[in-house]
Amino acid sequence: QLQLVESGGGLVQFGGSLRLSCAASGGILDYSALAWFRQAPGKEREAVSCINPSGSFSNYVDSVKGRFTISKDNAKNTVYLQMNSLKPEDTAVYFCAEVGSPLSRPCVLRPEYDRWGQGTQVTVSS
């Protein structure tokens, strides 16, 4: 059973950077579409970014385009989210999610993922 564990969250000042990691165990990510979601207090879970199994396609919610970058390292069985120019409105618990997918199929920014991590807190101070 594939399990996902996020790390890399923390407290950062406005304009700072963080890199989130999501490491998989119990399976490989070579044939997985992966996504990052976030949920702020009192708000619904929101898709942030996704990447398809081959890494040939990625997508971002408009609010993070140009600031966040998703990447996937199959050798390390890990997906990353590099977050730059962080803003207080980026404060949330960030979750990674996984679903098996054909290699080149575009990923989706919808919660159509089968496996989820437990989340990591990101707090951006103003």
Side-chain angles (χ1 to χ4, degrees):
Q1 179 76 9
L2 188 75
Q3 293 186 321
L4 304 171
V5 178
E6 302 95 335
S7 61
L11 174 64
V12 64
Q13 289 187 333
F14 177 86
S17 297
L18 284 174
R19 188 176 81 154
L20 304 183
S21 300
C22 174
S25 60
I28 60 173
L29 298 181
D30 297 48
Y31 306 102
S32 296
L34 295 144
W36 287 95
F37 289 76
R38 66 186 179 187
Q39 188 166 20
K43 295 188 176 181
E44 293 188 353
R45 190 171 295 190
E46 171 190 41
V48 175
S49 180
C50 69
I51 188 167
N52 72 344
S54 68
S56 61
F57 178 89
S58 60
N59 202 4
Y60 301 87
V61 67
D62 285 348
S63 60
V64 308
K65 283 181 179 177
R67 300 189 297 123
F68 290 12
T69 302
I70 191 170
S71 61
K72 181 174 180 267
D73 187 334
N74 288 340
K76 295 184 177 181
N77 229 23
T78 300
V79 61
Y80 303 97
L81 186 67
Q82 178 67 44
M83 306 187 296
N84 299 328
S85 303
L86 282 161
K87 306 175 181 180
E89 50 264 44
D90 295 317
T91 295
V93 178
Y94 284 70
F95 302 87
C96 66
E98 180 273 347
V99 66
S101 173
L103 285 175
S104 297
R105 177 181 291 176
C107 56
V108 297
L109 291 178
R110 297 188 297 273
E112 297 172 3
Y113 292 81
D114 292 336
R115 280 160 285 276
W116 296 76
Q118 83 291 345
T120 185
Q121 176 71 47
V122 171
T123 304
V124 184
S125 62
S126 57

